[in-house]
Amino acid sequence: MKNSVGLWIIVGICLISIPIIDHVWITTLQIIEAIRTKKESINFDTGLYYYLVITIFWWLLLIEVFGNNVFMRRYKKWFGPTIVAWFFSTILIAILLPLYIDKLLEDSGYTACQNPNEISRISLGKKLEFFTKPCKKAQTK
């Protein structure tokens, strides 16, 4: 495979990742807005934040495009640790941010109810619906 083919594959993945990451942050902002306006029910998929891991390709694109630069060659030894640190940071965000939002919802008076028909097959996590009134499943916990 030519170098240019690999570059275009990484560029394509980075372009695909933009709407995915946009969806993650828009959904987060919608949940926060729903909490602020005291919406009666709020849908929340805790596995949504694992999509942030795709941003690792942004680092790969940066290294691929500017890797032959004099500045980048000087700091070449930091490429690997930076990619690994970014990967673990996105995993940490994917674990901690849903916990924070879950706590924020519960502190705002919402009760979590899991709909067994809404099991996410694409990502890790639970698909929850938060209500201002207790649901039957939340009462049996």
Side-chain angles (χ1 to χ4, degrees):
M1 176 170 25
K2 288 184 175 180
N3 289 342
S4 63
V5 174
L7 173 68
W8 286 111
I9 289 172
I10 293 174
V11 167
I13 292 171
C14 288
L15 290 174
I16 290 170
S17 74
I18 292 171
I20 293 170
I21 302 306
D22 189 45
H23 171 67
V24 170
W25 294 117
I26 286 175
T27 302
T28 303
L29 292 175
Q30 287 173 343
I31 290 170
I32 292 170
E33 179 65 21
I35 293 170
R36 191 182 67 73
T37 59
K38 302 286 187 201
K39 192 173 174 186
E40 190 173 314
S41 70
I42 300 172
N43 292 323
F44 179 51
D45 186 357
T46 60
L48 181 69
Y49 297 97
Y50 286 97
Y51 294 140
L52 295 175
V53 176
I54 199 169
T55 60
I56 200 80
F57 284 97
W58 296 353
W59 282 107
L60 296 176
L61 179 63
L62 182 72
I63 291 168
E64 184 70 28
V65 170
F66 298 109
N68 208 15
N69 185 324
V70 174
F71 177 78
M72 295 292 273
R73 274 188 268 146
R74 186 179 320 161
Y75 297 104
K76 187 166 80 171
K77 66 180 177 182
W78 293 102
F79 290 171
T82 304
I83 291 172
V84 170
W86 186 263
F87 174 76
F88 284 115
S89 297
T90 56
I91 294 294
L92 195 63
I93 289 169
I95 292 169
L96 296 179
L97 195 56
L99 293 175
Y100 172 74
I101 292 174
D102 192 26
K103 182 170 177 12
L104 188 66
L105 283 161
E106 288 179 3
D107 289 347
S108 298
Y110 288 91
T111 304
C113 301
Q114 188 170 4
N115 185 351
N117 297 329
E118 295 291 333
I119 297 173
S120 177
R121 304 277 186 236
I122 298 173
S123 65
L124 300 172
K126 299 178 195 169
K127 195 161 184 121
L128 301 172
E129 192 166 356
F130 286 84
F131 293 98
T132 53
K133 299 174 185 173
C135 62
K136 293 176 186 175
K137 287 189 178 192
Q139 290 174 346
T140 60
K141 285 184 179 178

